[in-house]
Amino acid sequence: MMLENPQTHVDFDAIGAYQRYKLMASLIVPRPIALVTTVNAQGVVNAAPFSMFAMLGEDPPLVMISINRLQDGALKDTAANVLESREFVVHMADEAIAAQMHDCGTTLPPDQSELDLVGFTAIPSTGVAPPRIAEAPIAFECRLWETIETESRYIFLGRILHLHAREGLVDTDLWRVNLQDYFPVGRFGASFYTRTRDRFALQGEARETAIDRI
């Protein structure tokens, strides 16, 4: 006897980009958030959050951020700055700075900095021009590795040059993160975010590599 399993089917070729975005952004969750700082030719620091963000690999150490074009086809400040300078800093946002991270999404003129708007503190990076955000628990200094351009987006692959972590968060003797002190937030569709405090472990026979167990 065949069990009934009714499902909703959507042909992505039969719907528009807006509908595809709404479905994908609400179903592919939770997503980590990259709070990205860049600097323009005039030295103004831009800070903006992006949840189309992922780790791509460790050798080389690559991260990806995907930035949509504006309705008139113009570039967001972050995309324009990355294309110009080829440098950016990715910060992880935790509960303590979630509200400020969200407010960095406010649209400002290119000559105004979101850091000033939300009260973040800029501190010098080690190997790139864009500064780091002192209040963020994690910062990855990145140099542009590759750019992928689509009709609607710029997708930037960045190679991590340096990591900066809040004191006590990373143990560089054991190469472990003290997860009991790390509470990043994720995007959960629309204007919703999610915490990462509800954690559980699974035991099984699945094989893991040494690096997967970190």
Side-chain angles (χ1 to χ4, degrees), residues 19-201:
Q19 289 78 20
R20 291 193 293 265
Y21 173 83
K22 294 290 287 185
L23 291 173
M24 294 173 70
S26 295
L27 294 173
I28 302 174
V29 294
R31 295 189 303 277
I33 301 167
L35 177 57
V36 181
T37 52
T38 56
V39 63
N40 65 18
Q42 290 70 43
V44 179
V45 178
N46 176 269
F50 299 95
S51 65
M52 291 196 182
F53 158 64
M55 168 187 169
L56 295 185
E58 75 287 344
D59 191 16
L62 298 177
V63 293
M64 178 279 296
I65 56 173
S66 175
I67 303 177
N68 63 298
R69 296 177 183 270
L70 300 175
Q71 289 185 348
D72 59 0
L75 299 182
K76 290 187 174 182
D77 291 338
T78 300
N81 293 345
V82 171
L83 288 171
E84 175 70 22
S85 70
R86 302 181 63 84
E87 296 179 340
F88 56 96
V89 181
V90 170
H91 305 81
M92 304 303 294
D94 62 4
E95 294 177 15
I97 65 168
Q100 290 165 292
M101 173 273 295
H102 179 79
D103 289 343
C104 281
T106 303
T107 301
L108 294 179
D111 61 349
Q112 296 182 25
S113 175
E114 290 79 6
L115 299 187
D116 297 331
L117 175 70
V118 305
F120 276 144
T121 306
I123 54 178
S125 294
T126 301
V128 297
R132 295 180 285 123
I133 296 172
E135 291 81 3
I138 294 293
F140 296 105
E141 296 184 22
C142 300
R143 183 160 294 136
L144 185 61
W145 177 263
E146 186 175 339
T147 301
I148 301 171
E149 185 178 359
T150 70
E151 292 183 1
S152 62
R153 291 182 171 272
Y154 272 96
I155 300 169
F156 298 115
L157 309 187
R159 178 172 182 145
I160 299 172
L161 305 177
H162 301 279
L163 161 68
H164 302 270
R166 181 181 294 153
E167 183 67 27
L169 189 55
V170 174
D171 184 334
T172 56
D173 291 325
L174 298 176
W175 298 109
R176 294 290 188 271
V177 176
N178 296 321
L179 295 177
Q180 68 273 16
D181 297 323
Y182 187 42
F183 300 105
V185 295
R187 188 75 183 274
F188 204 76
S191 296
F192 293 100
Y193 294 88
T194 184
R195 297 183 175 89
T196 53
R197 290 180 178 270
D198 184 15
R199 304 168 181 176
F200 60 96

